[in-house]
Amino acid sequence: MCGIVAVTGYRQALPILVKGLEKLEYRGYDSAGVAVIDSNNNLICHRSEGKLKKLKNKLNKKTINGSLGIGHTRWATHGKPVLKNAHPHFDSTKQVAVVQNGIIENYLELKTKLELDGIVFNSETDTEVIPHLIQKELHNLGTLNLENSGSTLLIAVRNVISDLEGAYAIAVIWSGSPDSLIVARKQAPLIIGLGEGEFVCASDTPAITNITNTILPMEDEEMALLTPLGIEIYNSENERQYRNPISLKLSEQIIDKKQFKHYMLKEIYDQPQIAKNWIKQFLGNDLSSFTSINYSFDIGFLENIEQIQILACGTSRHAALIGSYLLEQYAGIPTTVFYASEFRYSPPPLSPNILTIGVTQSGETADTLAALNMEIKRRQSSGKESYKPNLIAITNRLDSSISRLIPNVIDISAGIEIGVAATKTFFGQLLSFYGLAITFAQLRKSKTSEEINNMISNLIKIPSLLEDLIISHNEIAEELAHNFSNIKDVIFLGRGINYPIALEGALKLKEISYIHAAGYPAGEMKHGPIALLEKKVPVISIATPGNVFEKVISNAQEAKARDSYLVGIAPECEGTEIFDYLIPLPLTDEWMYPLLTVVPMQLLSYHIAAHRGLDVDQPRNLAKSVTVE
Ligand code: F6R
């Protein structure tokens, strides 16, 4: 977690850093800070607890004359979100400043050694060991050779990194080398942007696009020396690396809230367009002659697959649960979904011809990456051909770690999601699973071409159904949010293909409005959760026509008998008069419903949180990509 931005060039660094941090605040907002080497070669630093606006207020009217600087926005891991733990951190002489993302696992051991040498620490962070260690190295290297001060700093940082354990990205500046910036990464993202006469480095592309659209993504375990004159990149063997820069896609460049009050609402409204893009990209332009889903990789390796396992966290895991329903019930292939954080330490015994799918919108979730890495290694070391890793990644970030780890990537192309609560990326992940279900149904011949064409023609109708649905449900959700202004607990019920939508509805509500919510398979309610029901606990029930419709209605009756206020997400049809409040759905094919039922869930949590005056896009304690375990 956390956002890093760093620059070296000819312009004033401070405004570039602040602008970059504005774009990275979704990665963490517990504190923010900047450090710049000024024209007198002094290291000047400003930090603030809380959101970036506090730092901006502090910086108001301040100028720092200097074109080399680093900035940071923090999501607290080690040490509380207070000023003394805000980055950048320094050595005792205040000559070296460091910002860091990730975790230094062996920091306590390193800290103890430094303390024995008389170093006094000013923070509770794992980060602070780094500047102290760099200063020690600089001292050992002899810092008087200032002609090559950039290389000296590079060597010092390299020596320190070799002692660090964990997953991290860092940016370092030193007043002894007033135009050199050192950056390094290990299992945490860093991208270098190539401007004209200036270079910028950041955790994510939005912080770079106001300077350049030409980037060099850094590979794992690389470090780089950036000066206004050029870049040197080195791998972990200290070998110089050369690679061509790439241009950012347009969708990675535009981050615009448009007329919406919050990014989350805008991103909910983006979903019909995402469906249109997906249809074009994966089904093709000429739908009358559809033959197969278009992938950017050869799907030959899927022919022998007998089982699927999916690894994911949070909302991505909910998408995976719907994926597993489609893969099993539609395509007939056994599929299991795992919490990535659990899989890593208790994987099932190896079984042959299995496809492993990693799902992560950010492509950087540490638990998901670690689980995938572990699975790849144990399969490779098994030595058996049938156990070899078969892998697919579903992500929104082609420039992310998962895309480098896994050769077969399904790019959901949803455009960067800024709202911390995932909405449009969940929708994009769902569409990817519809595509995979169609592919496996074809490979296993579990559906006739007529049935597949039927699925395709229903998918094609989704964008226009969604456009209408979002407009009408937005009004309804706003109205309902007033009725729910004092609620403390909410139960979400769904069954079959909609059960994971109940889980997602509960997660969204918890995340952004801090209201306790739980999602259950509707049939499970009577086995315990029913004890929670009373007048003050609304029940939101998804009831879509299909094989469990009557069952869900009966389960809703059970809640009504306990005085709960019943909200139905259902078409206006026989049975749904039981609901105290109906959020109406259009009639469509049962397979399609998760693509629609998720919308009122998203809008309801959005409006409840907005009605309470909460910071919808940056809910407390959260961050957009969880790059720590
Ligand atoms: C929920 C949410 C989180 C993420 C989870 C996984 O709104 O944003 O639950 O879904 O942290 O993130 P990714 O998909 O980036 O792996």
Side-chain angles (χ1 to χ4, degrees), residues 312-317 359-365 368 417 419-423 425 429 504 507-508 511 622-626:
C313 304
T315 287
S316 293
R317 185 177 155 276
V359 190
T360 158
Q361 68 78 21
S362 63
E364 301 295 347
T365 297
T368 309
E417 188 174 63
V420 163
T423 52
T425 53
Q429 291 165 342
E504 179 58 8
L507 179 62
K508 284 287 91 81
E511 275 183 300
L622 296 179
K624 189 71 193 160
S625 64
V626 186

Side-chain angles (χ1 to χ4, degrees), residues 443-460:
L443 288 171
R444 298 168 74 84
K445 303 194 176 26
S446 50
K447 287 280 180 276
T448 63
S449 49
E450 201 187 338
E451 285 168 318
I452 287 173
N453 285 343
N454 195 30
M455 177 75 121
I456 302 281
S457 66
N458 283 320
L459 282 166
I460 293 166

Side-chain angles (χ1 to χ4, degrees), residues 508-542:
K508 284 287 91 81
L509 189 65
K510 273 185 279 208
E511 275 183 300
I512 60 167
S513 45
Y514 319 139
I515 293 171
H516 177 258
Y520 296 102
E524 266 298 298
M525 199 185 55
K526 58 186 173 293
H527 298 291
I530 199 161
L532 296 170
L533 299 189
E534 46 128 329
K535 223 178 189 152
K536 289 188 193 145
V537 181
V539 171
I540 300 178
S541 178
I542 311 164

Side-chain angles (χ1 to χ4, degrees), residues 3 112 150 163 167 169 193 221 233 326 352 384 404 430 469 474 480 497 524 544 583:
T112 310
D163 287 336
E221 299 201 36
I233 300 182
L326 291 165
K384 281 195 186 170
R404 287 189 282 278
L430 287 189
L469 191 87
N474 191 43
L480 211 48
I497 198 165
E524 266 298 298
T544 61
I583 305 184

